[in-house]
Amino acid sequence: MAGEDSIQELELSSPPCLHFIAAFLAMEPPDIIISFARDCGGGKILERVQRFIWEHCINRTDTKPFAPYLRSFLKKLIVEIESSGEVVIDELYEKYVYYMSLKDNESVKGNARFSKTISFLFPRECWDLSSCPKSRKLEVLLHCSVNMLEGDTGCTIWPSSLFLSEFILSFPEVFTNKSCFEVGSGVGLVGICLAHIKASQVILSDGDLSTLANMRLNLESNKLTTRNDFLEHAVDSNMVQCLHLPWESAAENELLQIKPDIVLGADVIYDPLCLPHLVRVLAVLLNREGLYADGRNDRSDVCPRNQKCAKSNTCCVFDGSLGKSTRNIDHNDVYMHNGLQRWPVAYIASVIRNIDTFNCFLALAEEANLSVLDITEKMKPFNLLPYAKSYQQSSIRMLCISYLSK
Ligand SMILES: C[S@@+](CC[C@H](N)C(=O)[O-])C[C@H]1O[C@@H](n2cnc3c(N)ncnc32)[C@H](O)[C@@H]1O
């Protein structure tokens, strides 16, 4: 047994250790986690690092590790330790042998579910944000499927929802006390972040029933209560409404009742067949002309960025057909498309996988009288997931969409 370094404890709150645990709980690829383990030990995975891994990851009692993932991680970890000439502690060997002996259940190959924890780690520059908890981290437990296509793709966490969540937590003043409605909500991560920063109302929606069931489970696992029906006014700030809302069949009068201040969406621009329906839904939700008579949205809010962020005084606007930014405009313009009304507005985070599909979205949006602004460069969120090496902020665009007055 290795022994000479066993007396020293690792500092749990040091960045390498925090990143190591967060990466493990988020089920980042084993190679990434092993490189964090090396960082924790100053380049080596000696006994104290192994004991740290054992205590804070492998032997945790609060989360149940997903057996195939843990087996693969342990295998790579043991090979790494042995090949650098160090001694592997008995507990790691024993656990690996145990997982080797488990036969993969049939369901693992199909639609098996597992839990992962997404930890938003707030760097020092965020500590005065209202979204930053005392613990300096926000942990969200999510049940996901091993099958990326399950629930019409809604039972997996897609990178755009990580980005949109970082955006919400980085600019909480945009969303706090606003009524927020999300389309294609998937696992529900964005809704959990909206509830965390105290949006006045959080309404999530999806067109797939199994995705909705999984979303509700996730919300409840994160101490939120759920409702399946629409309530005009939220009765409790911990309550999230989960609506079955396929874009194709969403009735206009149903959409008109919702009256959100902010519409959100992550990774919803990908299927050309669905785009006309998605754009119709956005146009109905964002067009409030004639709806202000009741005074509910007679708002005089100023652009929230004016209060805080000097860097966001301009935005780019897409050319409706080319998908390129063509001019710079003042950020306030985002909120000025309806004359003096700043709301409603939509924030849609998107990976552009296919430029033709994206241009099709822009053309449909233009036809529907929607302006689409690319605000990615001007409203950059903080990097709250520094350990998530498999996710790149730079692959995502943030669009700000509003209805243009006729
Ligand atoms: C790629 S996933 C993104 C999920 C989640 N927003 C995220 O980023 O992790 C697309 C989501 O949109 C939903 N969706 C796809 N087509 C839809 C439609 N026609 N009507 C309503 N929801 C739809 C899917 O069920 C799925 O949850």
Side-chain angles (χ1 to χ4, degrees), residues 151-162 182-190 205-208 211 215 245-248 265-268 270-271 274 277 353:
D152 199 10
T153 69
C155 294
T156 300
I157 308 167
W158 294 85
S160 302
S161 68
L162 295 175
E182 192 192 12
V183 291
S185 304
V187 295
L189 174 64
V190 164
S205 71
D206 208 278
D208 184 87
T211 291
M215 183 198 301
L245 194 121
W247 307 325
E248 294 77 358
D267 232 328
V268 286
Y270 63 96
D271 180 351
C274 290
H277 307 289
R353 298 190 180 86

Side-chain angles (χ1 to χ4, degrees), residues 263-292:
V263 180
L264 300 102
D267 232 328
V268 286
I269 304 172
Y270 63 96
D271 180 351
L273 293 177
C274 290
L275 290 184
H277 307 289
L278 172 63
V279 170
R280 180 184 70 86
V281 167
L282 292 177
V284 174
L285 290 168
L286 295 176
N287 177 6
R288 292 288 179 76
E289 285 179 355
L291 285 184
Y292 290 92

